[in-house]
Amino acid sequence: HEYVSNEDFDKAIMCFRDAIRVDDRHYNAWYGLGAIYFRQEKYDLAEYHFRRALSINPQSSVLHCHLGMVQHANAKPYEALQTLEQAFWLEPCNPQARYQRATILISMNRCDEALQELERVRDTAPREASVHFTMGKVCKKLGRSEQAMRCFLTALDLDPKDNNLIKNAIDRLDEPDVDEDVSAF
């Protein structure tokens, strides 16, 4: 995992494959390969490796979240929502699963449902600026400018280093909404 964090993917892949050769039930190595392929936008490979990890450790809500993320990135939003349902079943309060579910719902233009999920995430992680920022984007889509402004200002207070992104969102609050990637934050 050290190689992955240093973005030395070739060495990381070699290490994970060596671990699998030693023990093909090493779910962490299967997960590691999936994470690398996800970062490289090789979504089919990432999905395969996350599924292998899940076949070994089906009780991991984190693995379900990652599989859902890759399914969403691979234009399978309905499958992703079903996968995230498994994560909720295993760990009902998992904020990562809720946040991922919200981003999928946003991409499906189901903004009211997305906002409900984001509010649950906010209640669990009130100091997470990206949640407030995403809530602001959703509120803007729903035409709730005042609520969007409050969310953006909260995000700005929580994470001043991303002030340009947040200030741009505030400046565009009165402009027509264009499809923007909510994960840009």
Side-chain angles (χ1 to χ4, degrees):
H1 292 286
E2 178 98 13
Y3 287 129
V4 174
S5 63
N6 291 330
E7 296 190 7
D8 192 347
F9 297 133
D10 292 334
K11 285 184 182 175
I13 288 170
M14 285 183 0
C15 288
F16 289 134
R17 286 185 179 156
D18 286 344
I20 291 168
R21 269 192 283 282
V22 171
D23 178 7
D24 71 339
R25 295 197 44 81
H26 194 309
Y27 79 88
N28 202 16
W30 288 106
Y31 162 79
L33 287 169
I36 290 170
Y37 293 130
F38 181 75
R39 288 180 66 179
Q40 293 177 332
E41 299 181 6
K42 297 177 181 176
Y43 301 128
D44 290 332
L45 283 171
E47 184 171 349
Y48 170 80
H49 287 85
F50 286 141
R51 284 189 186 281
R52 285 297 302 262
L54 268 170
S55 72
I56 298 163
N57 186 4
Q59 300 302 310
S60 171
S61 68
V62 173
L63 289 175
H64 284 282
C65 285
H66 285 278
L67 177 58
M69 288 168 45
V70 79
Q71 288 170 324
H72 179 236
N74 212 9
K76 301 176 185 175
Y78 295 102
E79 284 182 46
L81 289 174
Q82 288 176 341
T83 300
L84 291 173
E85 284 302 317
Q86 289 293 318
F88 294 138
W89 185 77
L90 292 166
E91 189 181 346
C93 296
N94 184 330
Q96 180 188 15
R98 291 215 176 273
Y99 186 81
Q100 292 307 321
R101 183 171 193 267
T103 60
I104 294 167
L105 292 170
I106 293 165
S107 74
M108 298 170 78
N109 209 26
R110 294 166 54 182
C111 293
D112 287 316
E113 293 172 77
L115 188 57
Q116 289 175 357
E117 289 294 343
L118 289 167
E119 287 169 348
R120 289 180 183 151
V121 176
R122 180 203 56 208
D123 293 345
T124 305
R127 303 210 37 87
E128 189 62 47
S130 62
V131 174
H132 292 277
F133 181 76
T134 305
M135 286 178 66
K137 304 284 278 180
V138 172
C139 288
K140 179 184 176 190
K141 281 184 173 225
L142 291 171
R144 301 177 189 170
S145 297
E146 285 183 32
Q147 190 177 359
M149 177 65 84
R150 282 193 302 273
C151 292
F152 288 143
L153 290 175
T154 302
L156 190 59
D157 287 343
L158 292 172
D159 193 1
K161 73 178 181 346
D162 280 320
N163 66 8
N164 287 335
L165 180 65
I166 298 168
K167 285 181 181 178
N168 285 338
I170 291 171
D171 291 342
R172 293 190 319 262
L173 200 55
D174 294 327
E175 295 176 12
D177 206 20
V178 292
D179 286 341
E180 295 172 346
D181 185 7
V182 294
S183 64
F185 186 74

